[in-house]
Structures are given as structure tokens and as C-alpha cells.
Amino acid sequence: MLMAPYRVLDLTHTDGMLCAQILGDLGAEVIQVEPPGGAPGRHIGPFYQGQEDIEHSISWWSYSRGKKSLVLDVEDEADRSTLLQLVATADFLIDAEAPGVMAQRGLAYEDLAEINPALIHISMTPYGMEGPKADWVATDLTLLAAGGPLSLTGDADRPPVRVSLPQAWLHAAAEAATGCQGRHSRL
């Protein structure tokens, strides 16, 4: 499999989960790093047989199949140390945090590169890490409008039609996974 020799640390919890899923489907070892109590994505329905708990989210299953799960509180110094040990052996780290969040945790790209200069850090944000729109609030609808795909929906004399399931982060995740495959020096 194309990505079999690679290790991916997935710090996404809802947005962008598909990125690591694609890499895992291509053979990479994917470690889903979850906070205590489970990632927020585990609380997204529908739920298998109506059992609304973190082990029965069909949405979570679909984006986490084949991933290993590791519970770490990245705010806790000992757990963050464990994560940094994993960073030393990883090829990719994926996050979808708001600008500045990873830096506040001591996990900015510069911090990670000191531990593993070959690490590829994929950070998915709605409008980038810096610039005039970096801190703008984003919804699936506003992201699709800003990116252009929404212009292809609906009729010209009416507002755009939103797709029933959120799509923007799925597109971003697929693009990020494609970028991963073309960026690593061992590929």
C-alpha cells in the first residue's frame, strides 16, 4: 500500500477527520489522539441502534475506521510529553484547530520541527493561520460560498442551495490528504 511505511498523528476531532482516514485507507498507520472523554466527533449522530454514546456514532466509525486511538490531554504536561515522543516517530501530524491554539499548547510547527525536522504538519483552518480573515467564524455555508462551490447550486434568481450534509471540511480534508502524498520525501 502506498502509505504503508508512514505514521500519522491525527489531532482532528470533527472537522478534517477525513484527511487521516484517506491516508489510513492508503496504508498509513494512523493514531487518533483524543481528549479524555472522547473526541467531540464521537457525539455526532446518527448512532448505531439508537445508542447515543461515544462508542456508537456511525459518523465517527466512518471517519475513524482502521485508526488506533490514544487518549491524551494535551493540556497536561505528562500527556503532552507522550505526544511529543510520538511526534519524534511520526511522518505527519494533522490538526484542524483555530489559529494560535496549537502554539498556545506548545505544539506549533516550529516546536514540532525541533523534535522532528522531517515532520509534515497539516493544519486545516477556514481562512488560514494569519491575515485579515484568520479569526473569522466559519460555517459550512460560508466556507462553500467563499470557496466558490456554492455558486454552482440553485437557480440564478434565488439564494444558493446548501447540500444537506456539511461538505467544506470534507473537501479540505481530501485536498490535504492529496497534498500529503505529494509532499513527503520518501514517497
Side-chain angles (χ1 to χ4, degrees):
M1 306 220 13
L2 180 65
M3 301 289 289
Y6 303 107
R7 173 178 279 174
V8 177
L9 300 179
D10 184 358
L11 275 65
T12 64
H13 301 296
T14 53
D15 300 332
M17 291 190 307
L18 179 63
C19 180
Q21 179 59 56
I22 292 170
L23 299 178
D25 286 348
L26 291 170
E29 174 193 22
V30 178
I31 300 171
Q32 178 76 53
V33 179
E34 297 186 60
R42 288 182 175 274
H43 301 278
I44 297 172
F47 295 92
Y48 181 68
Q49 295 184 338
Q51 296 182 44
E52 292 191 32
D53 63 50
I54 64 171
E55 297 301 330
H56 289 88
S57 167
I58 295 172
S59 175
W60 180 260
W61 289 351
S62 67
Y63 295 118
S64 298
R65 66 184 183 273
K67 294 180 184 180
K68 298 175 181 176
S69 179
L70 178 64
V71 175
L72 292 175
D73 180 356
V74 296
E75 304 295 336
D76 176 78
E77 195 165 325
D79 281 0
R80 189 170 40 257
S81 177
T82 300
L83 176 63
L84 295 177
Q85 290 173 23
L86 287 169
V87 165
T89 64
D91 298 289
F92 302 94
L93 182 138
I94 304 167
D95 81 78
E97 297 289 353
V101 169
M102 294 294 280
Q104 290 171 354
R105 294 176 176 156
L107 300 172
Y109 171 74
E110 296 78 16
D111 301 318
L112 301 173
E114 285 183 26
I115 296 164
N116 181 350
L119 181 75
I120 300 203
H121 181 184
I122 300 93
S123 180
M124 291 178 276
T125 65
Y127 300 109
M129 293 297 285
E130 53 190 45
K133 298 179 182 178
D135 294 322
W136 281 17
V137 175
T139 66
D140 192 60
L141 188 63
T142 61
L143 289 172
L144 290 174
L150 208 57
S151 67
L152 304 174
T153 67
D155 297 316
D157 62 337
R158 286 179 238 155
V161 178
R162 183 182 175 282
V163 177
S164 61
L165 295 173
Q167 297 293 308
W169 283 103
L170 297 175
H171 287 274
E175 293 293 333
T178 301
C180 289
Q181 296 170 52
R183 297 283 303 163
H184 204 277
S185 60
R186 291 189 276 177
L187 291 177

